[in-house]
Amino acid sequence: MKKIVVFDGVLRMINGTQINYYFICKTKLWLFSHNIQLEHESENVNLGKILHENSFKREKDFLIDNLISIDFIKIRDSIEIHEVKKTQKMEMSHEFQLLYYMYYLKNEKDINNIKGFLDYPKNRKKEEVILTKEKENELLRIIDDINYINENKMPKPKKSKICRKCAYFEFCFS
Ligand code: SF4
């Protein structure tokens, strides 16, 4: 399989969760990337899973290359990929996670007629996300930055309002 990211002359692959965490917290990104994964303990994450399961019972998750996990796919004139989220609060993380999926399918699987949608069942909303050239360049810069963060020491935890719902809270602040 050809790889899509060159960093310091080394080819690297990243997954959708890492793109998501990049926007949420760099410490969280680093911990997750180094296989320190505590997310199953987080009530917040479980709520998201329950919401997803109840709202889209008939749909299936698609795991591709063990890197990207698409919540569901619809085949129409184009291929629609959907990412289900419980809140619109972290829009940038949602948008770029989905943009990464679209970029991956386009560049790694040669699928060009893709449409991306963010679904917010709690608000009964659906937003289309478009992979423009500008977004693609921004995404590549973000991927480079993620690789740089992961190559270096763990970023110092900074307390914010999202910390109290984070599975790493005890790890960061006890
Ligand atoms: S507890 Fe806060 S600083 Fe630590 S990983 Fe979670 S969000 Fe980041």
Side-chain angles (χ1 to χ4, degrees):
M1 186 179 76
K2 76 181 173 196
K3 307 288 186 188
I4 57 171
V5 182
V6 179
F7 173 72
D8 261 1
V10 181
L11 297 172
R12 301 287 161 83
M13 294 302 286
I14 63 165
N15 64 38
T17 304
Q18 287 168 300
I19 297 277
N20 189 292
Y21 286 177
Y22 176 82
F23 290 95
I24 293 171
C25 169
K26 305 293 188 283
T27 309
K28 188 168 178 148
L29 164 66
W30 190 96
L31 288 165
F32 178 84
S33 302
H34 288 79
N35 287 321
I36 303 166
Q37 298 175 15
L38 306 171
E39 283 295 2
H40 61 280
E41 292 172 10
S42 165
E43 193 183 332
N44 198 35
V45 170
N46 288 341
L47 275 175
K49 281 187 179 151
I50 290 164
L51 183 67
H52 175 198
E53 280 157 17
N54 286 338
S55 303
F56 296 98
K57 271 190 179 132
R58 284 167 298 156
E59 314 290 356
K60 283 191 168 180
D61 286 359
F62 290 85
L63 181 64
I64 298 168
D65 295 341
N66 266 330
L67 279 174
I68 65 172
S69 174
I70 296 170
D71 286 338
F72 66 92
I73 296 176
K74 285 184 178 173
I75 311 292
R76 301 190 191 277
D77 292 341
S78 55
I79 295 167
E80 285 188 7
I81 62 171
H82 290 252
E83 183 68 13
V84 181
K85 299 294 184 189
K86 67 183 169 62
T87 165
Q88 286 175 278
K89 275 184 199 156
M90 296 176 197
E91 280 171 359
M92 285 279 280
S93 65
H94 300 168
E95 182 189 4
F96 276 92
Q97 188 177 1
L98 186 56
L99 285 168
Y100 179 59
Y101 295 168
M102 295 165 81
Y103 179 85
Y104 190 90
L105 293 173
K106 182 179 147 195
N107 289 279
E108 295 293 307
K109 306 295 178 193
D110 291 326
I111 303 171
N112 285 302
N113 55 338
I114 306 166
K115 285 188 172 181
F117 291 94
L118 291 169
D119 291 82
Y120 300 98
K122 203 172 157 190
N123 305 339
R124 296 174 192 273
K125 278 195 172 175
K126 182 169 98 169
E127 283 177 12
E128 183 170 0
V129 170
I130 297 170
L131 183 67
T132 60
K133 194 66 205 161
E134 289 73 30
K135 293 282 181 187
E136 210 171 290
N137 290 338
E138 210 177 330
L139 178 67
L140 289 175
R141 186 195 59 72
I142 289 163
I143 291 170
D144 239 9
D145 205 21
I146 289 173
N147 282 322
Y148 178 80
I149 290 165
N150 290 339
E151 283 295 305
N152 286 285
K153 282 186 184 168
M154 184 184 89
K156 204 167 178 235
K158 285 186 205 151
K159 210 178 248 185
S160 73
K161 61 183 178 188
I162 62 161
C163 291
R164 66 192 165 85
K165 288 185 177 171
C166 175
Y168 294 113
F169 185 81
E170 300 252 323
F171 180 93
C172 289
F173 300 112
S174 62

